[in-house]
Amino acid sequence: MLGDWVEAARPKTLPAAVVPILVGTAEAKRMGYFEWWPIAICLAFALLVQIATNMANDYYDHVRGADTPDRVGPERLVASGRIEPRRMLWASFGIFLVAFLVGLNLVAYRDWSLLIVGIVSIVFGYGYTGGPFPLAYRGLGDVFVIFFFGLVATMGTVYVVAGQLTWESAFLGMMLGLLANNILVVNNYRDMETDRKANKMTLVARWGRNFGAAQYRLQLVGAFLCLGLFAMSTGEVYHAIPFLAFPLGLKLAGTLDRTEGVALNGVLAKTAAFLLLVGVLLAGAVFVAA
């Protein structure tokens, strides 16, 4: 049973929550600010919100008919009957509540504006597949990922630690948001047929797999353009180190439209690993040059 709940958290997707906090911490250190405990709270909040969002997604994709026996992705816990639907839903609510309580520490540390950010993050995390206007079913999941797992998480960490919002943190946040969204692109690419049957009109479900492959490449290039803007803004050559990973990203992009079925799960895992690799290189480069 414990293993089922760990699987429901979708640990392979969690780099999308960890990397922005890691990079935001390095950027705050470059600006001359560093303190461990608010960083730890930022990380805990981000992880809790993502885990709760994943669990709510597991529940709502089941009840809305997106998770079926035809699905080629990893087995979902509610659809497979391994976790009872209401238990999954209440677990997601409980974790959202814990995330809110944890986030209150950031409000006490910095200011009340973070209360609004935290509430909006939780509401939209639930609204990704839940509520009367589920974002993922309206083709808005990409906007959600880029905004919250990129800009909000990265800039929010910098703001918590350093008390400032800067263009440099925005460049970093957009970069990470685009790379994180490539995970979603692969997911939607793999699930296109079952999503269409469930009227889950992701961008790939609307416009097809050729669009998804092009989106993946465009976001990859856009992410590294943001890295270039960041390096130019800081004037520090070390900050260009993550460009060493760019050929690996291009190679990964080239495999997407040549891969089908269950093999796409491997592309998804490698895309998440690529985000983690770039994030570690970037955070290390910024931290060393601080």
Side-chain angles (χ1 to χ4, degrees), residues 152-166:
V152 171
T154 308
M155 297 178 72
T157 301
V158 173
Y159 183 73
V160 167
V161 180
Q164 301 177 44
L165 294 175
T166 65

Side-chain angles (χ1 to χ4, degrees), residues 47-257:
L47 286 170
L48 288 167
V49 169
Q50 184 174 0
I51 290 169
T53 300
N54 288 343
M55 290 183 175
N57 174 254
D58 200 309
Y59 171 81
Y60 281 106
D61 272 355
H62 170 68
V63 300
R64 296 183 193 277
D67 286 342
T68 69
D70 297 329
R71 174 183 169 83
V72 297
E75 185 179 60
R76 292 298 180 232
L77 281 297
V78 173
S80 66
R82 290 163 61 187
I83 295 179
E84 194 272 327
R86 300 302 294 182
R87 292 185 68 189
M88 182 70 83
L89 182 62
W90 282 108
S92 72
F93 287 159
I95 296 172
F96 275 131
L97 176 59
V98 173
F100 175 77
L101 296 175
V102 167
L104 289 178
N105 289 281
L106 299 177
V107 176
Y109 179 79
R110 181 55 63 191
D111 60 50
W112 283 95
S113 65
L114 293 173
L115 179 62
I116 298 173
V117 173
I119 291 174
V120 170
S121 298
I122 290 171
V123 169
F124 276 84
Y126 171 76
Y128 179 71
T129 49
F133 192 83
L135 300 175
Y137 285 74
R138 302 296 191 274
L140 295 173
D142 303 77
V143 177
F144 168 83
V145 171
I146 293 171
F147 186 70
F148 285 101
F149 287 93
L151 291 167
V152 171
T154 308
M155 297 178 72
T157 301
V158 173
Y159 183 73
V160 167
V161 180
Q164 301 177 44
L165 294 175
T166 65
W167 280 109
E168 289 79 9
S169 64
F171 295 146
L172 293 173
M174 180 58 71
M175 174 190 180
L176 298 178
L178 290 170
L179 292 179
N181 197 53
N182 271 349
I183 301 173
L184 180 64
V185 170
V186 179
N187 185 80
N188 294 342
Y189 187 99
R190 181 198 63 206
D191 295 342
M192 185 184 72
E193 285 88 0
T194 53
D195 283 347
R196 284 175 172 174
K197 291 176 182 177
N199 202 31
K200 185 179 182 180
M201 300 309 295
T202 66
L203 297 185
V204 178
R206 289 177 186 275
W207 293 317
R209 287 201 169 102
N210 288 337
F211 172 87
Q215 182 187 2
Y216 190 104
R217 290 183 173 89
L218 183 62
Q219 290 183 163
L220 175 68
V221 172
F224 280 88
L225 285 175
C226 290
L227 174 61
L229 291 173
F230 172 74
M232 290 172 59
S233 179
T234 64
E236 181 58 66
V237 67
Y238 285 110
H239 295 162
I241 286 176
F243 273 105
L244 294 172
F246 185 61
L248 181 60
L250 288 176
K251 182 179 179 180
L252 190 57
T255 66
L256 182 57
D257 52 8

